[in-house]
Amino acid sequence: MTARVLDGKQLAQTMRVEIAAAVAARTAAGKRPPGLAVVLIGDNKASAAYVRNKQKGCAEVGMGSWLHHLPVHTSESHLLALLDTLNTDPAVHGILVQLPLPPQIREDAVIHAVGPRKDVDAFHPENVGLLAAGFPRFVPCTPHGVVHLLRRNDVPLAGREVVVVGRSNIVGKPLALLMMQKATTANPAGCDATVTVAHTRTPDLAAVCRRADVLVAAVGRAGLITPDMVKSGAAVVDVGTNPGAAGKLVGDVDPAVAGVAGALSPVPGGVGPMTITMLLANTLRAAELLDG
Ligand code: GUN
């Protein structure tokens, strides 16, 4: 078998056209264009590249974007003061502080300091709680991108065995919630699946993964998922972005899995472009909720 490609690049493009149309309709109605403020601290190359793609995405759909690039030795109090200003700026609908942060700044303090109505990452405990309760204000970007990538490629989810490998606050945990949740009007990203969460302490990870009709790898270990861990015909989503040889990006899934899986998302060009598109969707939603 050669797996069907779950093409995130193409789907992201289609969805950006939809978002751009909604943005254009708002501006034609005299409303402010949705605006995203991105805060980047230091000179981490990978973070700088992600931030550039986020800004490019904003420009593509007609949204405003502002980059606040602060030096690596910025104090926590300086960053919190900037967030206070952004929280009250009416042109800013979404705020994103790029992670990871330098060691003098507590991630926890920053997550609490982004106003929950502008928290397009959905990292604030208020938004985490709303998602866990089944009526999210914002659906976290990467998990939402995974759900759209599967849905729009007609991969069945309701009642299916989904195995999520990884339990991070950014991907594994919120994705497991969406996968297990009932699909409702308040939570259309709910998938009604049967969900197992596996991680580095799971014994016989291969046996657990082989149960999956849909296998999602979000660990951050290059090539962790090998063909023997995949049921024939399963859909496999690779969320990993690991540094490979010659500056190339490699996923958590061994490319040889394409010989066993029924569908596979590539790295790059799978989940990555979807994540940024969901950030744009959340910024549009923030504008709708804040400005009407
Ligand atoms: N760093 C890696 N992924 C993310 C993300 O989704 N949001 C933010 N703010 N930083 C990240």
Side-chain angles (χ1 to χ4, degrees):
M1 182 176 291
T2 288
R4 182 159 66 95
V5 177
L6 300 173
D7 185 345
K9 200 170 168 189
Q10 193 191 330
L11 177 56
Q13 202 45 50
T14 304
M15 294 186 79
R16 284 180 200 197
V17 170
E18 296 164 7
I19 294 167
V23 170
R26 289 181 67 75
T27 39
K31 293 175 179 165
R32 277 181 205 279
L36 175 70
V38 177
V39 183
L40 171 65
I41 302 135
D43 298 304
N44 180 315
K45 279 202 168 56
S47 289
Y50 290 137
V51 163
R52 266 198 308 280
N53 284 332
K54 286 166 185 171
Q55 292 205 285
K56 220 174 92 192
C58 285
E60 235 179 276
V61 299
M63 288 184 184
S65 78
W66 300 270
L67 173 61
H68 297 267
H69 190 179
L70 307 177
V72 69
H73 294 301
T74 299
S75 68
E76 182 179 294
S77 59
H78 183 90
L79 174 59
L80 297 185
L82 169 63
L83 292 175
D84 262 352
T85 310
L86 297 174
N87 281 335
T88 54
D89 183 340
V92 172
H93 300 94
I95 301 171
L96 181 145
V97 182
Q98 185 67 31
L99 303 178
L101 297 165
Q104 76 277 14
I105 301 176
R106 292 167 301 159
E107 190 173 294
D108 183 50
V110 172
I111 285 173
H112 280 85
V114 173
R117 290 173 192 278
K118 296 191 176 186
D119 171 35
V120 286
D121 267 325
F123 291 169
H124 190 288
E126 184 177 310
N127 289 322
V128 175
L130 288 169
L131 171 67
F135 30 89
R137 177 187 283 135
F138 299 113
V139 178
C141 303
T142 303
H144 206 187
V146 171
V147 169
H148 276 294
L149 191 58
L150 291 166
R151 284 249 174 90
R152 296 246 194 154
N153 280 285
D154 300 314
V155 175
L157 294 168
R160 297 301 170 105
E161 290 277 350
V162 174
V163 175
V164 178
V165 188
R167 53 177 161 175
S168 69
N169 286 339
I170 297 186
V171 186
K173 211 189 288 180
L175 179 61
L177 283 171
L178 290 177
M179 285 291 177
M180 78 171 76
Q181 282 172 339
K182 191 198 279 271
T184 63
T185 42
N187 190 20
C191 297
D192 293 287
T194 306
V195 181
T196 302
V197 180
H199 49 77
T200 45
R201 302 293 295 268
T202 301
D204 203 352
L205 180 62
V208 174
C209 290
R210 276 195 300 271
R211 292 212 300 261
D213 300 307
V214 176
L215 177 62
V216 183
V219 174
R221 198 177 301 168
L224 173 73
I225 306 296
T226 44
D228 60 298
M229 300 168 81
V230 177
K231 176 160 81 178
S232 174
V236 180
V237 180
D238 191 350
V239 185
T241 52
N242 309 292
K248 272 181 64 179
L249 213 57
V250 298
D252 288 354
V253 178
D254 178 342
V257 163
V260 181
L264 174 63
S265 74
V267 175
V271 174
M274 292 302 296
T275 295
I276 295 176
T277 303
M278 295 304 110
L279 173 68
L280 303 175
N282 278 352
T283 305
L284 171 63
R285 179 162 166 81
E288 288 167 352
L289 293 173
L290 287 164
D291 294 353

